[in-house]
Amino acid sequence: MGDFWDDYLVLKPLGGGLRDLFQLLFSSNVSRNNYIESPEGATLEGAKRRMLLLISILLQKTILFTKKPMLWVGFCIEFWLNLVSENKNFLTLLFNMIRGKLKLPDQKSPTFRSVVGHVDDRLELDKTIKYGDGRYLAALSVMAAKLVYENEAFIEQTVNGNWKMEFIKFFDCWDDYQEAPSTQAFMFCDKLEDPDLVVVAFRGTEPFDANAWCTDIDFSWYELPEIGKVHGGFMKALGLQKQGGWPKEAEQHNPPRTFAFYAIKEKLEEILERHKQARFVLTGHSLGGALAVLFPAILAIHGDEWMLERMDSVYTFGQPRVGDEKFGEFVMQHCFKGRRGYYRFVYSNDIVPRLPYDDKTLLFKHFGTCLYYDSLYNGQIVTEEPNKNYFSPWSMLPRHMNAVWELLRSFIIGYRWGIDYREGWFLRFLRVFGFIFPGLLDHNPQDYVNLTRLGTALITSAGIESLKID
């Protein structure tokens, strides 16, 4: 693994067989297990802890087994949704087919939407939330975190045309361990001349991306000396180097490769050096939120204090846990002090902020404060979201009752709050399936956009409102 850390535990879901599964369950010697990569002689005490690793491996194996069917199903759904929208509606589509004038979707065109974009098709910013309002950056950030799921042409047209801001760059970056592109992000600023604000949005877990879902449920970690243990999958997605860990400069590859942390940092440095008054915001939904909060941590590791001084805040939505308690203390001490803020939004029963598992047998912990909103968009500031590990049997009935309410709400919210909040047939169809696994539907960006607009205002222009933390 290189000489840049001494302690690590990396799960390899395709590395072993049935014998290794039984060995993991009954033996603490994990260094000889083909499903685990760790230092020679490493042991893992605690049957419950090993059981959780076993569950993670089995879930990852199952997801990877369905990788190709997931991609095929995702492609078919996305193609059909865009085929209908390109031809305006289903009846027009049939009419165009008869006339031989069927419009086929182009995945790279500025009209092609992702599945996420079809679930929530809003493009406009809320015009009632003005710059200087405590809600402004959260509302802008969640729209950027939603928009980053789209293709480059769609993003550029939306930023320049709809938001009247300035698109800077789209990043499609390499994972040195998967040896494939895995991380997307984009950067924009509030105006072309002398910008005051630069925003970087990281793409999250795409609905039919097996690798991204495996990253979310992976319990692998690396221990960074004096810093703490950090989720391995998130570091790899951000640009962890196979041979050098986190060097100041990315390793040279042939052919050349672009890694998220290094490419974004380089472009951000260029802008900040040219515009001395500009500050930057990092944001992301799901996996993108984990990358957004990990980015300043690597800046701190490199000693890039001048860049951290120019960071305004980090806004994450449905973000999973990133590291252990020690890592959280490091990040809060070195990255979020003074006027810099870290705002972690969690909606209702969203399962992803409750992953990876957090109890005394595992090491992953959230840090900072949580801005938690229920399904009525009532917000409160808490140290941890309710039912922090999701799978409590006591919360099962309330979760399913809440899923029923969310379906009913989808029929009335547009009448109550206006056309911007109307939910289409596709989202209502998905909400029916939410009865089976309600935490998955609560993860969609629709409700995160809603809570920044309709929810309790917990952030003032000076930062977190001085409310009692429950």
Side-chain angles (χ1 to χ4, degrees):
M1 299 302 297
D3 56 2
F4 34 90
W5 38 59
D6 298 321
D7 199 7
Y8 53 89
L9 187 148
V10 180
L11 301 186
K12 301 185 297 181
L14 301 180
L18 189 60
R19 178 182 177 183
D20 294 289
L21 293 176
F22 281 102
Q23 183 185 23
L24 178 61
L25 197 57
F26 297 107
S27 172
S28 61
N29 185 358
V30 294
S31 65
R32 300 296 177 88
N33 194 298
N34 290 321
Y35 281 119
I36 295 177
E37 191 168 353
S38 61
E40 183 65 32
T43 59
L44 191 66
E45 303 298 334
K48 183 177 179 181
R49 189 175 184 184
R50 295 196 301 274
M51 173 63 76
L52 290 171
L53 294 181
L54 177 63
I55 292 171
S56 175
I57 289 169
L58 291 175
L59 286 174
Q60 289 184 69
K61 287 178 78 73
T62 302
I63 291 172
L64 291 173
F65 179 75
T66 62
K67 180 177 179 177
K68 288 185 178 180
M70 281 178 68
L71 285 173
W72 183 82
V73 169
F75 171 80
C76 290
I77 292 174
E78 197 170 69
F79 182 85
W80 171 253
L81 291 171
N82 280 281
L83 183 63
V84 174
S85 62
E86 283 287 343
N87 291 274
K88 296 186 178 180
N89 55 55
F90 183 69
L91 290 177
T92 307
L93 185 152
L94 293 178
F95 185 54
N96 287 344
M97 286 181 63
I98 295 170
R99 295 190 304 158
K101 295 184 177 182
L102 185 67
K103 296 179 181 178
L104 295 177
D106 176 3
Q107 286 185 306
K108 295 183 179 181
S109 79
T111 59
F112 188 94
R113 290 177 181 263
S114 67
V115 171
V116 172
H118 278 281
V119 171
D120 181 359
D121 62 1
R122 288 173 290 188
L123 295 179
E124 302 295 339
L125 302 177
D126 189 333
K127 293 181 174 58
T128 67
I129 303 177
K130 305 294 185 181
Y131 184 79
D133 186 327
R135 298 178 298 161
Y136 178 79
L137 288 180
L140 177 62
S141 294
V142 75
M143 288 297 287
K146 182 173 79 78
L147 183 61
V148 73
Y149 285 99
E150 309 303 330
N151 66 54
E152 181 177 359
F154 191 104
I155 292 171
E156 183 173 4
Q157 178 174 276
T158 301
V159 171
N160 294 343
N162 295 72
W163 298 0
K164 307 304 179 186
M165 296 185 182
E166 188 65 26
F167 174 82
I168 297 174
K169 189 171 182 178
F170 181 84
F171 303 88
D172 188 12
C173 301
W174 195 258
D175 184 321
D176 212 15
Y177 291 75
Q178 291 185 20
E179 296 187 347
S182 71
T183 304
Q184 291 74 36
F186 80 99
M187 186 184 299
F188 69 100
C189 59
D190 57 349
K191 53 190 175 182
L192 179 60
E193 299 295 332
D194 297 322
D196 297 310
L197 181 69
V198 180
V199 179
V200 180
F202 292 90
R203 184 179 293 180
T205 308
E206 297 184 77
F208 300 98
D209 185 341
N211 289 331
W213 280 107
C214 285
T215 296
D216 283 341
I217 62 173
D218 189 0
F219 293 165
S220 299
W221 52 263
Y222 298 95
E223 182 165 12
L224 303 176
E226 310 300 323
I227 294 168
K229 296 173 181 175
V230 189
H231 191 288
F234 301 152
M235 289 207 294
K236 293 172 184 176
L238 190 60
L240 183 71
Q241 304 291 282
K242 269 187 179 180
Q243 302 303 320
W246 288 112
K248 272 283 193 177
E249 302 294 334
E251 299 166 19
Q252 297 298 314
H253 289 70
N254 188 19
R257 303 296 188 194
T258 299
F259 298 95
F261 173 79
Y262 297 96
I264 293 169
K265 177 187 173 185
E266 181 182 1
K267 190 64 180 177
L268 200 51
E269 279 182 330
E270 174 191 325
I271 295 169
L272 296 178
E273 288 175 349
R274 193 165 65 247
H275 303 286
K276 301 299 183 183
Q277 82 286 356
R279 300 180 65 80
F280 69 94
V281 167
L282 302 164
T283 188
H285 167 259
S286 189
L287 166 63
L291 301 182
V293 78
L294 185 55
F295 185 92
I298 308 304
L299 289 179
I301 290 171
H302 287 172
D304 291 315
E305 185 63 31
W306 77 271
M307 289 192 71
L308 289 172
E309 288 294 333
R310 303 284 294 278
M311 183 175 72
D312 183 283
S313 46
V314 175
Y315 289 83
T316 71
F317 305 90
Q319 170 216 312
R321 298 181 177 104
V322 180
D324 66 359
E325 187 173 2
K326 184 178 179 181
F327 173 73
E329 292 171 353
F330 172 86
V331 173
M332 294 306 294
Q333 179 182 350
H334 291 86
C335 303
F336 300 107
K337 54 187 178 182
R339 61 179 289 189
R340 302 195 293 271
Y342 168 38
Y343 307 108
R344 183 172 65 85
F345 288 81
V346 175
Y347 170 72
S348 193
N349 294 310
D350 186 351
I351 187 175
V352 174
R354 295 163 169 97
L355 296 173
Y357 206 75
D358 168 16
D359 71 357
K360 62 183 180 181
T361 64
L362 285 179
L363 53 89
F364 294 98
K365 304 286 182 184
H366 276 307
F367 50 89
T369 55
C370 168
L371 285 71
Y372 173 77
Y373 288 79
D374 63 21
S375 58
L376 295 173
Y377 305 123
N378 294 318
Q380 57 182 319
I381 301 173
V382 295
T383 54
E384 185 73 77
E385 57 271 10
N387 185 27
K388 69 176 183 178
N389 283 323
Y390 186 82
F391 295 104
S392 166
W394 304 109
S395 66
M396 185 178 299
L397 181 60
R399 284 201 307 268
H400 285 80
M401 291 177 63
N402 193 69
V404 174
W405 153 243
E406 286 171 335
L407 177 61
L408 294 174
R409 186 191 64 190
S410 72
F411 290 94
I412 61 177
I413 191 170
Y415 295 101
R416 174 64 181 87
W417 294 107
I419 194 171
D420 282 349
Y421 301 94
R422 183 194 63 216
E423 296 188 8
W425 66 268
F426 183 49
L427 179 53
R428 288 173 185 167
F429 174 75
L430 293 177
R431 288 203 186 279
V432 174
F433 281 90
F435 298 164
I436 302 171
F437 209 151
L440 285 179
L441 257 294
D442 283 1
H443 188 56
N444 84 84
Q446 172 94 18
D447 288 305
Y448 281 101
V449 173
N450 289 353
L451 68 83
T452 62
R453 299 180 179 192
L454 303 176
T456 309
L458 299 178
I459 307 174
T460 69
S461 57
I464 284 283
E465 189 171 300
S466 297
L467 299 178
K468 179 181 178 182
I469 297 180
D470 295 337

